[in-house]
Amino acid sequence: MQAQVSPQAWHFSWQLLQPDKVPEIQYFGASALHIKISRYWSDIPTDQYESLKAQLFTQITRFASGSKIVLTRLCVALASLALSMMPDAWPCAVADMVRLFQAEDSPVDGQGRCLALLELLTVLPEEFQTSRLPQYRKGLVRASLAVECGAVFPLLEQLLQQPSSPSCVRQKVLKCFSSWVQLEVPLQDCEALIQAAFAALQDSELFDSSVEAIVNAISQPDAQRYVNTLLKLIPLVLGLQEQLRQAVQNGDMETSHGICRIAVALGENHSRALLDQVEHWQSFLALVNMIMFCTGIPGHYPVNETTSSLTLTFWYTLQDDILSFEAEKQAVYQQVYRPVYFQLVDVLLHKAQFPPDEEYGFWSSDEKEQFRIYRVDISDTLMYVYEMLGAELLSNLYDKLGRLLTSSEEPYSWQHTEALLYGFQSIAETIDVNYSDVVPGLIGLIPRISISNVQLADTVMFTIGALSEWLADHPVMINSVLPLVLHALGNPELSVSSVSTLKKICRECKYDLPPYAANIVAVSQDVLMKQIHKTSQCMWLMQALGFLLSALQVEEILKNLHSLISPYIQQLEKLAEEIPNPSNKLAIVHILGLLSNLFTTLDVSHHEDDHEGSELRKLPVPQGPNPVVVVLQQVFQLIQKVLSKWLNDAQVVEAVCAIFEKSVKTLLDDFAPMVPQLCEMLGRMYSTIPQASALDLTRQLVHIFAHEPAHFPPIEALFLLVTSVTLTLFQQGPRDHPDIVDSFMQLLAQALKRKPDLFLCERLDVKAVFQCAVLALKFPEAPTVKASCGFFTELLPRCGEVEPVGKVVQEDGRMLLIAVLEAIGGQASRSLMDCFADILFALNKHCFSLLSMWIKEALQPPGFPSARLSPEQKDTFSQQILRERVNKRRVKEMVKEFTLLCRGLHGTDYTADY
């Protein structure tokens, strides 16, 4: 890399291209030339343009019969040269290239010259697309290339239509055309070449290149302006239907895929323009039907076909375009296209069907996963189509399902039933079906389905889950489906679907579930004890039970909690006695996880309406302690005992903290009785072995309780304790604990945000805290640096109101500024520059007089913060920063600009996307 950008590259690259070198070395020479021409154009004196151009032409002619990879690289170098010289220094660049390569006096044979010219013409537009030309130059060069098109297309037409042109030349012509159309050449100028490309589709060797060329030509954004040309293309596309049918019949997936791409490109990119041509509605409808054939192409995706998935976006686009017309035109098109969309639903549900069991058994796990994603795409499409077809779509699905389940004529396949239910579920999952008159019938049909396999059972479960909001409004129907869900809980193969469905029902219908609560708890306990489900499903199940219990009376909750938790508490007591080892650690973490998931959702206070829009059903807030607090107080000693043995294990400590963190988040003020003992336990834990999770829980307590006078003393004591322990950790060497430093910085920022008074305490060493945070800015871990920046952006605005903070900023603020400038100068990742810009902005806004003094001093030493900066650049930066006290976005832009200068990246390729 260094060699290629060095001044010497101008000399050695020609030497490396000499005939006695191997192609790999020649390639390096050509590549170095391209880099020099494209990135360091300003190095070349104007009077050397012509000799450089002549040398490149000579080399390209030499390599026309040599190594292909070197030829391509040289063509890219010449293309880059042409783009830099156009239009002034080389007005007719493309015409000159064509003329030079057609000269008869060349030592290279005609075909070699022709292929070299086509390679050069192909890479020219590609190089333009990726070039780093300034915006104003880009416009000039694009206009110049559009004119030069006149020198290229006639040549391409001639070569493509000439019977004597060999296949390799015609292939290259199609690729060259494909490259030029991306310059937004007017579609009418491409007409002859597009027709020639359609003709070339019959030649199997040219098929792929032709498809690519046609799709690129049709897909350019500008093409929709040329409606007459688009109308001429429809018959050409429709003319491919016979070839498409043949390909499908012969199982030729490549051909069917290619033809489908062409039909979809025309339909998807231009449906609006073609729908506007009302008098041509029949030919467009024929195109739509051809795309429908591609959607419903025989065979199972992705094993026997990969084409149908290409068409799904077309149906979205067509629907959007139809629905965007004014009422009258929309009504006409609705009449034509509603039947088409009903047919689409049938086709999609057919494509979503599982293959026969024996066939599916042979599919690889990768094929099964692709099929699952494909079904999700179909589900999304059905949901979208609902906007066009409305309630009639649900009735249509319901009638089909009803006929299927009640017909005695023919035995139905489970695949057919499953697909219809899947269609229902797709719509009910995201669209409010509460008004639908077919849902009661559907709920009535579900128990009649004879469930013979896992996929069907899964879909039945997910469909019930999708209807949980409807069930909340029609609680009398819960009893028809709940037994199915509880029965499925016992089947490990239905783990995900049955547990997630029960969770949805418990969340949406909790006020109607008390009559069933005992049964739900008993079945859940049973499956938990039998360990039927994996860990994450056990956690969901506990969340479901949390929702369920929330709606019961307090004594009922306590009774259920007792029977639900007791076995785990006994197990935990036993584990607490054992000597720590890996297997009992897993069991402990599992039990603690179950408790924290239960407490995440167990909320008796009903702070908010559970059903938006329906009337608020508020139960009176029960008197007395919160059930979760009662349980936590009962198990508190046991948790401390577990902790005492596992204090040095981050996972166990994290699991303990999670129980309290989830409970605090759910209970909010109701958690108050636990605050003193929890603060004491956290202090002991953290003093023995500091862990990030303890700091995160402390932050939660500060957030919720620090502003309440009653809870301030224990929280202040805990805050001071963890701060002093962490400061000691900094003295011993914090580099091994970036997670602790990260959580500590977040805790400090939260304290400043919620209760700045914590920084007034005499026992808090604000100076040491400040210095540690400056150290943390230099950590290599991005999250830690981000958290430290967050701390400073909370601290600096408090300079005026919190006296110790003001004092420390005055004394040590310069040290902070130097750390920030070092980071911007190249010490920190470029992705973090916005965070450092926030600190500069806060310094400028809240400590202006200090900053204006410090920044001049700090930038004084030569080579700081980077040896690449001139004194003028540093001066400009400091003036820009000091001037901007209102617009934070501007400061971020200045910092980005300055960091690029510091790193020597300003104006290079690397920063184009920055």
Side-chain angles (χ1 to χ4, degrees):
M1 287 302 291
Q2 281 182 332
Q4 284 182 315
V5 300
S6 68
Q8 292 87 331
W10 286 117
H11 309 294
F12 73 64
S13 46
W14 300 108
Q15 293 168 323
L16 298 183
L17 282 165
Q18 284 170 0
D20 58 342
K21 302 283 190 271
V22 294
E24 289 76 4
I25 289 177
Q26 294 170 330
Y27 177 85
F28 185 79
S31 191
L33 267 178
H34 170 240
I35 285 178
K36 294 304 285 182
I37 291 170
S38 60
R39 295 193 199 160
Y40 299 93
W41 178 249
S42 54
D43 292 1
I44 309 171
T46 323
D47 58 359
Q48 286 184 24
Y49 289 175
E50 288 306 319
S51 67
L52 181 57
K53 188 205 304 181
Q55 277 176 290
L56 280 169
F57 268 121
T58 309
Q59 292 291 351
I60 288 172
T61 312
R62 232 190 72 216
F63 278 95
S65 50
S67 163
K68 174 80 180 63
I69 58 165
V70 182
L71 174 67
T72 302
R73 226 54 224 138
L74 287 167
C75 288
V76 172
L78 180 57
S80 187
L81 176 98
L83 295 172
S84 296
M85 288 174 72
M86 288 165 80
D88 306 330
W90 192 1
C92 304
V94 179
D96 284 357
M97 291 172 186
V98 173
R99 197 173 36 75
L100 273 161
F101 278 94
Q102 284 179 326
E104 291 299 328
D105 57 355
S106 164
V108 182
D109 67 322
Q111 185 175 316
R113 284 205 316 275
C114 181
L115 286 170
L117 171 62
L118 287 170
E119 181 63 32
L120 178 56
L121 293 176
T122 304
V123 299
L124 185 63
E126 290 168 358
E127 181 65 9
F128 173 75
Q129 303 286 12
T130 56
S131 70
R132 305 284 189 216
L133 294 171
Q135 214 46 50
Y136 77 96
R137 287 269 306 132
K138 217 159 190 169
L140 283 174
V141 175
R142 183 189 287 280
S144 185
L145 285 170
V147 175
E148 296 265 23
C149 213
V152 180
F153 281 17
L155 171 73
L156 298 183
E157 284 166 37
Q158 183 195 340
L159 288 170
L160 205 51
Q161 285 155 358
Q162 222 167 285
S164 60
S165 289
S167 186
C168 60
V169 169
R170 296 163 73 156
Q171 183 109 355
K172 204 80 199 107
V173 166
L174 288 162
K175 285 190 172 147
C176 184
F177 172 49
S178 201
S179 176
W180 274 82
V181 291
Q182 292 178 52
L183 292 175
E184 293 175 25
V185 180
L187 193 64
Q188 62 199 30
D189 297 353
C190 308
E191 232 174 271
L193 277 166
I194 292 176
Q195 289 183 340
F198 267 99
L201 287 168
Q202 303 305 319
D203 181 335
S204 59
E205 282 185 32
L206 302 179
F207 183 82
D208 289 346
S209 309
S210 304
V211 169
E212 215 52 56
I214 294 167
V215 168
N216 283 342
I218 294 174
S219 305
Q220 48 165 320
D222 199 38
Q224 59 201 21
R225 288 174 34 208
Y226 304 94
V227 176
N228 290 334
T229 307
L230 291 173
L231 289 169
K232 286 182 198 167
L233 293 178
I234 294 182
L236 290 174
V237 176
L238 295 175
L240 300 172
Q241 289 183 97
E242 190 42 46
Q243 193 180 351
L244 174 63
R245 284 203 180 85
Q246 286 294 317
V248 169
Q249 235 166 358
N250 303 333
D252 175 357
M253 280 160 74
E254 278 74 21
T255 303
S256 50
H257 197 81
I259 294 174
C260 170
R261 277 185 65 200
I262 293 173
V264 169
L266 183 57
E268 199 175 301
N269 289 295
H270 305 297
S271 63
R272 176 72 203 218
L274 293 168
L275 283 167
D276 269 328
Q277 309 306 306
V278 181
E279 65 280 16
H280 295 279
W281 69 273
Q282 280 165 305
S283 66
F284 184 60
L285 181 58
L287 177 69
V288 171
N289 284 324
M290 180 176 174
I291 295 173
M292 179 78 79
F293 174 79
C294 296
T295 306
I297 210 158
H300 286 287
Y301 182 94
V303 175
N304 325 100
E305 63 91 7
T306 52
T307 299
S308 56
S309 61
L310 298 180
T311 64
L312 297 178
T313 350
F314 163 74
W315 298 108
Y316 285 72
T317 310
L318 178 62
Q319 177 177 313
D320 283 347
D321 289 337
I322 290 171
L323 297 179
S324 69
F325 285 122
E326 73 283 357
E328 210 173 311
K329 201 167 184 182
Q330 193 184 127
V332 173
Y333 274 128
Q334 284 261 19
Q335 229 174 337
V336 176
Y337 283 100
R338 271 178 79 83
V340 174
Y341 271 87
F342 273 114
Q343 185 193 346
L344 173 69
V345 171
D346 290 346
V347 167
L348 289 176
L349 290 177
H350 182 71
K351 292 296 292 180
Q353 283 187 26
F354 279 88
D357 294 338
E358 56 282 6
E359 204 180 305
Y360 191 63
F362 284 112
W363 283 21
S364 69
S365 59
D366 192 35
E367 286 165 341
K368 287 178 178 173
E369 177 57 9
Q370 281 185 47
F371 181 58
R372 186 193 66 76
I373 294 166
Y374 174 67
R375 278 174 46 105
V376 171
D377 292 341
I378 286 179
S379 167
D380 291 344
T381 313
L382 289 170
M383 181 191 86
Y384 204 75
V385 166
Y386 180 84
E387 194 187 340
M388 177 100 153
L389 302 180
E392 202 184 329
L393 171 54
L394 290 178
S395 314
N396 184 298
L397 292 173
Y398 172 64
D399 293 344
K400 288 198 175 97
L401 190 64
R403 281 202 299 278
L404 196 64
L405 294 177
T406 52
S407 147
S408 50
E409 324 286 271
E410 45 190 304
Y412 61 86
S413 72
W414 70 262
Q415 284 92 340
H416 199 164
T417 312
E418 190 279 333
L420 285 167
L421 270 180
Y422 184 67
F424 236 111
Q425 174 210 324
S426 304
I427 294 159
E429 238 167 6
T430 40
I431 282 156
D432 180 9
V433 292
N434 278 2
Y435 62 84
S436 170
D437 51 358
V438 301
V439 177
L442 174 68
I443 298 265
L445 281 177
I446 285 176
R448 298 185 60 150
I449 297 171
S450 69
I451 297 178
S452 51
N453 89 333
V454 173
Q455 283 93 352
L456 176 58
D458 260 337
T459 303
V460 168
M461 283 303 117
F462 285 128
T463 307
I464 295 171
L467 295 170
S468 55
E469 284 185 37
W470 184 90
L471 288 168
D473 289 334
H474 305 82
V476 51
M477 303 298 277
I478 292 174
N479 201 25
S480 324
V481 289
L482 189 60
L484 288 174
V485 179
L486 294 178
H487 178 69
L489 275 182
N491 183 344
E493 289 186 297
L494 303 179
S495 181
V496 173
S497 59
S498 61
V499 174
S500 69
T501 297
L502 182 65
K503 184 178 158 184
K504 280 182 179 173
I505 291 175
C506 290
R507 186 180 64 215
E508 301 300 334
C509 314
K510 62 181 175 189
Y511 299 115
D512 303 299
L513 291 178
Y516 314 103
N519 194 13
I520 296 173
V521 172
V523 172
S524 303
Q525 260 183 297
D526 185 48
V527 299
L528 283 166
M529 283 299 140
K530 288 181 179 159
Q531 298 183 343
I532 284 172
H533 301 287
K534 289 189 178 144
T535 304
S536 52
Q537 276 69 52
C538 294
M539 302 306 158
W540 291 358
L541 191 50
M542 278 304 205
Q543 288 179 20
L545 294 171
F547 285 125
L548 172 77
L549 298 180
S550 303
L552 303 181
Q553 295 299 318
V554 172
E555 56 277 12
E556 280 296 302
I557 298 177
L558 287 167
K559 200 168 83 190
N560 277 296
L561 277 177
H562 182 70
S563 71
L564 187 61
I565 295 177
S566 292
Y568 293 112
I569 301 302
Q570 286 160 14
Q571 216 179 327
L572 200 56
E573 280 169 342
K574 207 159 115 279
L575 290 164
E577 299 299 333
E578 293 175 11
I579 295 161
N581 67 56
S583 68
N584 60 23
K585 169 184 158 172
L586 279 178
I588 288 172
V589 170
H590 181 75
I591 292 171
L592 296 174
L594 292 174
L595 293 177
S596 57
N597 277 280
L598 177 64
F599 297 156
T600 304
T601 54
L602 179 46
D603 182 9
V604 292
S605 59
H606 317 304
H607 324 267
E608 54 205 307
D609 176 9
D610 288 276
H611 301 287
E612 293 148 294
S614 67
E615 94 270 17
L616 187 58
R617 291 190 273 187
K618 240 188 177 184
L619 299 183
V621 178
Q623 294 307 303
N626 186 296
V628 173
V629 174
V630 172
V631 173
L632 282 176
Q633 283 175 327
Q634 285 169 358
V635 298
F636 199 79
Q637 296 308 116
L638 173 59
I639 287 175
Q640 283 186 303
K641 190 174 180 183
V642 170
L643 259 183
S644 64
K645 286 201 173 172
W646 288 90
L647 252 183
N648 58 355
D649 188 289
Q651 256 182 305
V652 176
V653 172
E654 216 167 287
V656 168
C657 290
I659 291 185
F660 294 106
E661 198 174 340
K662 299 276 173 64
S663 309
V664 171
K665 273 184 183 163
T666 310
L667 302 180
L668 300 173
D669 297 340
D670 284 356
F671 187 83
M674 295 289 300
V675 171
Q677 58 198 120
L678 182 57
C679 286
E680 194 191 332
M681 181 182 97
L682 273 174
R684 277 209 307 278
M685 260 166 69
Y686 195 75
S687 310
T688 318
I689 293 180
Q691 305 252 6
S693 47
L695 290 174
D696 296 334
L697 180 50
T698 305
R699 185 176 84 236
Q700 201 69 38
L701 292 173
V702 167
H703 177 63
I704 295 170
F705 294 108
H707 58 280
E708 290 184 22
H711 298 301
F712 185 68
I715 283 179
E716 184 188 38
L718 173 62
F719 178 72
L720 292 170
L721 178 65
V722 297
T723 303
S724 109
V725 170
T726 314
L727 292 177
T728 312
L729 191 75
F730 265 93
Q731 286 165 353
Q732 293 160 356
R735 278 298 304 110
D736 299 334
H737 308 286
D739 55 334
I740 293 180
V741 177
D742 182 350
S743 295
F744 181 53
M745 291 299 142
Q746 290 187 52
L747 167 63
L748 294 171
Q750 183 69 268
L752 284 162
K753 201 184 286 184
R754 297 292 289 180
K755 192 71 178 165
D757 293 9
L758 286 165
F759 276 69
L760 288 169
C761 177
E762 285 172 8
R763 282 179 296 146
L764 182 70
D765 188 344
V766 179
K767 193 177 181 74
V769 166
F770 188 93
Q771 289 169 347
C772 290
V774 171
L775 258 182
L777 288 176
K778 301 176 185 182
F779 272 45
E781 291 82 6
T784 308
V785 178
K786 231 177 213 170
S788 316
C789 291
F791 161 66
F792 283 116
T793 48
E794 287 296 339
L795 178 99
L796 293 167
R798 306 274 185 282
C799 281
E801 63 192 76
V802 182
E803 196 254 335
V805 170
K807 187 164 175 275
V808 78
V809 171
Q810 202 146 9
E811 290 169 7
D812 293 338
R814 189 168 176 278
M815 176 171 77
L816 167 64
L817 176 66
I818 287 172
V820 169
L821 290 172
E822 279 173 351
I824 296 170
Q827 301 255 324
S829 156
R830 264 167 43 203
S831 63
L832 292 165
M833 287 306 115
D834 281 0
C835 304
F836 288 106
D838 287 341
I839 298 181
L840 276 182
F841 183 74
L843 275 168
N844 199 25
K845 197 169 176 184
H846 303 284
C847 323
F848 177 71
S849 53
L850 292 169
L851 178 66
S852 44
M853 186 170 67
W854 291 336
I855 198 163
K856 285 190 176 60
E857 287 172 15
L859 289 173
Q860 206 70 53
F864 181 84
S866 158
R868 294 188 176 90
L869 296 173
S870 68
E872 294 74 37
Q873 287 171 321
K874 295 202 264 190
D875 207 33
T876 309
F877 176 65
S878 63
Q879 282 172 13
Q880 283 179 326
I881 291 291
L882 291 169
R883 237 183 313 205
E884 194 51 79
R885 301 179 66 185
V886 180
N887 189 335
K888 193 187 279 191
R889 191 177 54 80
R890 281 284 303 118
V891 174
K892 288 181 177 176
E893 283 166 10
M894 292 167 196
V895 168
K896 276 185 177 174
E897 198 79 3
F898 191 63
T899 197
L900 293 176
L901 286 170
C902 293
R903 295 163 200 258
L905 295 174
H906 197 268
T908 63
D909 285 11
Y910 298 102
T911 59
D913 306 321
Y914 182 46

